[in-house]
Amino acid sequence: MSEPAFANADALTRIAEALERISPPPAAMPDWSAEAYVWHVAPDRLEPVRRVARVDLALLRGIDRARDTLLENTRRFAQGLPANNALLWGARGMGKSSLVKAAHAAVNAGATPPRLILVEIQREDIPSIGRLMQLLRRAEDRRFILFCDDLSFDHDDAHYKSLKAVLDGGVEGRPENVIFYATSNRRHLMPRDMIENERASAINPSEATEEKVSLSDRFGLWLGFHPCSQDEFLEMVRGYRDALGIEIDDDALRAEAIEWRQTRGAVSGRVAWQFITDLAGRKGVRLRG
């Protein structure tokens, strides 16, 4: 072999070694003793969550159809039966993320070790989702809900391509022991003006937006959450009061709740819980996690 050939081979070796040094080390396999984990990058690791912040499934009011549908989908998945990735989209504060965590807890109730493990990934860490999937794939005796809260993509954001490949595309596809649940305020995960601008400026409008909106098609289950009425808001408040054992009569509760929501300028499950938190504090009642 000539001297230039040796030099080229040596250079390629050094480049390969440098790439190996800067690539993130594989994440260590947890002992899976916790029922929930949060995925962190740099370095890759799964941080156990010993106490998940959530409310009981029975306390989620005004979203009965979405509750029953997601719970059934989650139970089927826990039993090893076919189940769909789920996108919970719609109005803010109507219990999308609360429903995911509550359904996870309901399916796990009384099971030791937990039947399902909840793994949360942040939107900004979506490019690392392939590495996370490889780690979860290796835990063949466990089943996982991979959860991303408030998922959306802005202009010139290419992170959605990483998610598309993992959810439905690629040679390996999604591991059989992993299901993906996401919440978003946007039905197609993209800003409406972004979709409309591309339609207006493209030679073929349908093809111009297909790449962007096709991500939401990877979710077999779409659950819509819509703004609630004042009556539904008051039903939520009464449900929280009864569950927590707060002593206050209906007339006073209604008057205080309406005044609270008027100061917020909105009615939602989140506003109802914020009111109950304030009321419980004033009444000396501790909230149960």
Side-chain angles (χ1 to χ4, degrees), residues 22-242:
I22 65 175
S23 63
M29 182 73 75
D31 60 8
W32 305 123
S33 59
E35 63 175 337
Y37 293 80
V38 176
W39 172 249
H40 297 283
V41 297
D44 290 353
R45 67 192 188 282
L46 282 167
E47 189 75 24
V49 179
R50 299 302 176 186
R51 190 169 181 269
V52 179
R54 61 190 170 207
V55 297
D56 291 337
L57 192 67
L59 292 179
L60 299 177
R61 306 298 178 92
I63 54 171
D64 295 2
R65 182 177 178 277
R67 178 198 63 204
D68 295 344
T69 302
L70 189 70
L71 183 59
E72 177 60 25
N73 192 68
T74 307
R75 281 178 174 154
R76 288 201 305 264
F77 175 70
Q79 295 166 0
L81 298 173
N84 276 306
N85 298 317
L87 174 63
L88 291 71
W89 68 275
R92 300 189 309 273
M94 283 305 297
K96 298 185 292 295
S97 60
S98 295
L99 178 56
V100 171
K101 292 182 286 186
H104 167 250
V107 171
N108 268 346
T112 305
R115 301 166 66 188
L116 276 180
I117 295 175
L118 185 69
V119 177
E120 184 175 19
I121 182 172
Q122 304 299 324
R123 193 208 72 85
E124 58 268 21
D125 293 331
I126 288 295
S128 70
I129 195 171
R131 302 197 300 273
L132 173 57
M133 287 289 197
Q134 288 299 326
L135 177 64
L136 302 183
R137 189 190 299 273
R138 287 158 45 198
E140 297 178 354
D141 58 337
R142 299 286 192 273
R143 300 187 75 76
F144 302 93
I145 298 175
L146 183 53
F147 173 49
C148 185
D149 192 21
D150 198 20
L151 179 64
S152 63
F153 301 96
D154 296 319
H155 301 267
D156 302 322
D157 189 343
H159 288 359
Y160 71 93
K161 294 182 180 179
S162 301
L163 186 55
K164 280 176 62 176
V166 169
L167 288 182
D168 201 30
V171 175
E172 291 183 304
R174 173 170 57 88
E176 292 184 359
N177 64 334
V178 178
I179 199 168
F180 189 82
Y181 287 176
T183 69
S184 179
N185 296 332
R186 300 167 177 168
R187 183 175 184 179
H188 289 295
L189 305 174
M190 306 287 176
R192 181 178 296 274
D193 64 327
M194 179 179 175
I195 296 174
E196 292 176 348
N197 287 343
E198 291 200 18
R199 282 178 176 160
S201 60
I203 297 176
N204 189 324
S206 61
E207 289 184 1
T209 57
E210 184 176 355
E211 173 75 5
K212 298 292 192 302
V213 302
S214 64
L215 173 59
S216 58
D217 292 340
R218 265 63 178 180
F219 295 89
L221 196 60
W222 285 10
L223 300 175
F225 290 70
H226 307 288
C228 66
S229 65
Q230 178 167 288
D231 287 343
E232 290 170 326
F233 169 77
L234 293 172
E235 180 186 352
M236 295 174 191
V237 168
R238 286 192 292 267
Y240 286 139
R241 176 203 59 184
D242 295 343

Side-chain angles (χ1 to χ4, degrees), residues 246 256 260 271-285 287:
I246 301 174
E256 290 189 26
W260 179 275
V271 173
W273 180 252
Q274 290 167 343
F275 165 71
I276 285 294
T277 299
D278 179 78
L279 179 64
R282 288 188 280 114
K283 297 291 186 178
V285 176
L287 301 180

